[in-house]
Amino acid sequence: MPIIVVDPEQPDPSVMQAAAARIVAGELVAFPTETVYGLGAAAMNPGAIAKIYATKGRPSYNPLIVHVLDVAAAQALVEDWPRLATELADRFWPGPLTIVLRKRPVVPDLVTAGLPSVALRAPAHGVARALLEAAGVPIAAPSANRFQGISPTSAAHVARSLGPDAALILDGGPTRVGIESTVVDLSGAQPVLLRLGGVPVDELEDVTGVLARPAAPREGQPRTSPGLVGRHYAPSGELVVVKTGRLSSALSGARPLGLISFAEQPPPGVDHHLSMPADPREYGRLLYAALHTLDELGCARILVEAVPQQRAWAAIRDRLARSAAS
């Protein structure tokens, strides 16, 4: 599985043309976005899309996000482009916001889990945009890891998770947002927040007003958005979120024991400790990398100090809760 290092700001055009040719030929290419690394395939090619599901071990009820270069490319895939979509795109695209709208028949049902809507995002990363431009087609790309595993924020994470199953990995360095995009559904009468992510809810609701929340889907029922499976983003060992002040009482159990906390020094009895920043954006950028590190160290149990309850930390709390779910 080739790994090619590319400049995240000015990727080599010849490299991007070669990677785009693989996409157009129906192969899988892993590439960086500003959120996490994606496992990309030509979105209009059902055979290529099937490879994504097979490679990840992803259930067919979990739809994919389709990456596009701009609003015009997005509009070509949907039945209607409401004014609110324009307002959101004007403010947050390119960037970590995914918009769900009713799809045109040209979008394969396999991409959307058979639903009448499609999730669209214009990424901000230079490599992702260069790949889209060179390929000339929309690219469906979930995170480039096995289903329910820790999302990758570096090329090394992709290689560790997928092994030889990606035809090519473009290494554009570590991602700068570090958690997945926020997803908002505009396909119905009322805007709905489907997934917390890289765009804080407060900033989103400055444009949309207060967003509705979806009902929890039944097991096996198609999800309107990726990232709604109960257990997700999880390391191999057990992950436990522990309230501040109770870490010392949680140190028993399987070993090696890892700890992610705000403290510079861990309490006695911790085998591996990673100190995290108190800023939610920086914490989000580093979270998956920290989980990957402790996973690679073989931690059978990982304790994570609970993060603050403020809205700015909502996406982090969501990821930790899903990582800890059994």
Side-chain angles (χ1 to χ4, degrees):
M1 164 195 45
I3 300 178
I4 300 178
V5 177
V6 290
D7 185 327
E9 301 300 328
Q10 295 182 316
D12 185 330
S14 64
V15 171
M16 302 315 300
Q17 287 291 344
R22 289 176 179 259
I23 291 284
V24 173
E27 298 181 23
L28 304 184
V29 174
F31 63 96
T33 77
E34 70 277 19
T35 57
V36 301
Y37 273 67
L39 183 63
M44 302 300 108
N45 182 336
I49 297 303
K51 291 180 183 178
I52 289 179
Y53 281 95
T55 297
K56 285 179 60 71
R58 185 184 182 95
S60 59
Y61 60 72
N62 209 14
L64 305 178
I65 291 174
V66 176
H67 294 70
V68 294
L69 196 59
D70 51 27
V71 167
Q75 290 173 328
L77 303 178
V78 299
E79 289 186 347
D80 181 50
W81 184 264
R83 184 181 67 179
L84 185 54
T86 297
E87 294 171 354
L88 289 171
D90 284 347
R91 179 156 175 182
F92 298 112
W93 277 13
L97 176 67
T98 294
I99 301 173
V100 175
L101 292 162
R102 293 188 67 82
K103 76 179 185 77
R104 291 186 179 182
V106 68
V107 180
D109 286 344
L110 191 58
V111 170
T112 67
L115 294 169
S117 57
V118 61
L120 301 166
R121 182 165 91 87
H125 197 286
V127 174
R129 297 190 64 76
L131 183 61
L132 284 162
E133 188 168 12
V137 297
I139 296 176
S143 58
N145 59 285
R146 303 294 179 189
F147 179 62
Q148 294 185 320
I150 310 167
S151 297
T153 56
S154 73
H157 298 159
V158 178
R160 178 172 174 261
S161 181
L162 297 183
D165 288 338
L168 175 67
I169 299 175
L170 299 175
D171 181 355
T175 63
R176 61 175 176 81
V177 174
I179 59 172
E180 294 81 1
S181 61
T182 303
V183 182
V184 61
D185 185 1
L186 303 184
S187 65
Q190 182 179 12
V192 178
L193 178 66
L194 296 179
R195 181 176 76 180
L196 296 159
V199 174
V201 175
D202 286 349
E203 294 182 21
L204 192 61
E205 291 186 334
D206 283 345
V207 179
T208 63
V210 177
L211 290 161
R213 303 300 196 267
R218 296 189 301 272
E219 186 62 33
Q221 181 183 22
R223 270 68 171 162
T224 313
S225 165
L228 301 183
V229 177
R231 186 175 189 271
H232 220 52
Y233 323 110
S236 301
E238 179 189 20
L239 188 145
V240 181
V241 179
V242 183
K243 291 182 179 180
T244 301
R246 298 186 180 179
L247 291 173
S248 296
S249 63
L251 298 181
S252 61
R255 297 282 173 162
L257 176 66
L259 171 64
I260 295 173
S261 78
F262 294 107
E264 291 187 7
Q265 297 296 327
V270 173
D271 298 302
H272 304 288
H273 173 244
L274 296 174
S275 179
M276 297 291 277
D279 176 76
R281 289 184 186 270
E282 277 297 291
Y283 191 110
R285 183 178 68 84
L286 298 173
L287 173 60
Y288 290 149
L291 292 177
H292 274 287
T293 295
L294 295 180
D295 212 28
E296 290 170 21
L297 289 168
C299 291
R301 194 161 184 257
I302 297 173
L303 303 181
V304 181
E305 181 179 4
V307 301
Q309 289 297 309
Q310 289 97 328
R311 292 190 83 187
W313 292 85
I316 305 298
R317 292 196 302 272
D318 171 79
R319 298 310 190 269
L320 290 175
R322 294 180 190 276
S323 297
S326 58

